[in-house]
């Protein structure tokens, strides 16, 4: 069992990771010659994000970038997403999106979610554990989910998601 003190340490570590991605976002910008592009808005907070994706011959995400304006959580979540889903199929990206949604909404421990996702996706979701800190701030859940939902609508637009079975 964790002590209170340890929980505090983990929360401040999560906060540091989010602030770091918020300040120095990875993969910011627009991919020229992208395969799909989607824009998302979260009017509640004023967050806006544009996601562009380039697919490879096997219809995996070869590259993705985001261009956004918004709160630190929306930018951090977008930045972390661009690192976490590279190389995945649309179906796998959807599993990641659902896992992030669970991370942000519930008090489910990240460890449990990592275990459920298995060997391939588990380690990827582990890198996103910091987003579970958002579950303490229900108003921010939409901020964290925005880039992921935008990625889903981007991939849906190509018809790639129809491979989901
Ligand atoms: Zn926001």
């Amino acid at each position: 069992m964790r002590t209170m003190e340890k929980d505090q340490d983990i929360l401040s570590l999560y906060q540091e990771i989010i602030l770091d991605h918020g300040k120095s976002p990875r993969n910011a910008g627009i991919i020229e010659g992208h395969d799909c592009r989607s824009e998302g808005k979260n009017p509640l907070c004023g967050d806006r994000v544009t996601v562009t994706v380039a697919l490879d011959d096997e219809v995996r995400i070869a590259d993705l970038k985001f261009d956004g304006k918004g709160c630190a959580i929306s930018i951090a979540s977008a930045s972390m997403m661009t690192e976490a889903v590279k190389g995945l199929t649309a179906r796998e990206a959807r599993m990641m999106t659902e896992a992030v949604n669970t991370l942000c909404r519930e008090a489910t421990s990240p460890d449990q979610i990592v275990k459920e996702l298995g060997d391939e996706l588990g380690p990827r979701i582990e890198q996103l554990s910091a987003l579970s800190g958002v579950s303490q701030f229900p108003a921010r859940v939409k901020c964290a989910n925005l880039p992921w939902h935008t990625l889903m609508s981007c991939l849906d637009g190509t018809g790639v998601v129809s491979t989901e079975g």
Side-chain angles (χ1 to χ4, degrees):
M1 247 179 109
R2 285 176 188 160
T3 63
M4 279 282 259
E5 212 170 81
K6 206 166 173 191
D7 279 346
Q8 281 305 325
D9 285 350
I10 287 171
L11 277 180
S12 59
L13 172 69
Y14 285 172
Q15 207 166 24
E16 244 172 68
I17 293 170
I18 292 208
L19 287 175
D20 177 50
H21 277 269
K23 274 188 203 154
S24 332
R26 280 47 149 192
N27 304 301
I30 300 277
I31 298 174
E32 298 296 331
H34 49 261
D35 288 296
C36 61
R37 171 192 175 120
S38 193
E39 285 168 35
K41 281 184 207 164
N42 173 19
L44 282 179
C45 181
D47 310 315
R48 284 161 167 273
V49 65
T50 300
V51 173
T52 46
V53 176
L55 299 168
D56 67 14
D57 294 344
E58 295 178 335
V59 206
R60 288 180 177 269
I61 298 169
D63 197 11
L64 75 163
K65 288 192 174 175
F66 82 97
D67 184 42
K69 280 202 168 70
C71 66
I73 288 174
S74 67
I75 300 298
S77 179
S79 169
M80 293 166 88
M81 176 182 82
T82 60
E83 292 190 322
V85 304
K86 253 180 214 180
L88 297 184
T89 62
R91 184 173 168 273
E92 290 166 334
R94 182 169 294 278
M95 288 167 76
M96 293 285 286
T97 299
E98 281 164 11
V100 166
N101 193 25
T102 309
L103 262 185
C104 294
R105 274 175 205 277
E106 290 169 25
T108 317
S109 79
D111 296 350
Q112 182 63 30
I113 297 171
V114 168
K115 218 195 262 173
E116 281 169 13
L117 276 181
D119 290 345
E120 201 180 326
L121 297 182
R124 290 177 183 252
I125 204 78
E126 200 165 17
Q127 294 172 16
L128 302 170
S129 299
L131 292 174
S132 68
V134 174
S135 62
Q136 304 205 329
F137 310 99
R140 294 294 190 188
V141 171
K142 285 201 163 140
C143 305
N145 275 316
L146 175 69
W148 295 84
H149 288 161
T150 308
L151 172 66
M152 286 302 102
S153 81
C154 183
L155 295 173
D156 281 352
T158 66
V160 173
V161 172
S162 64
T163 57
E164 197 168 14

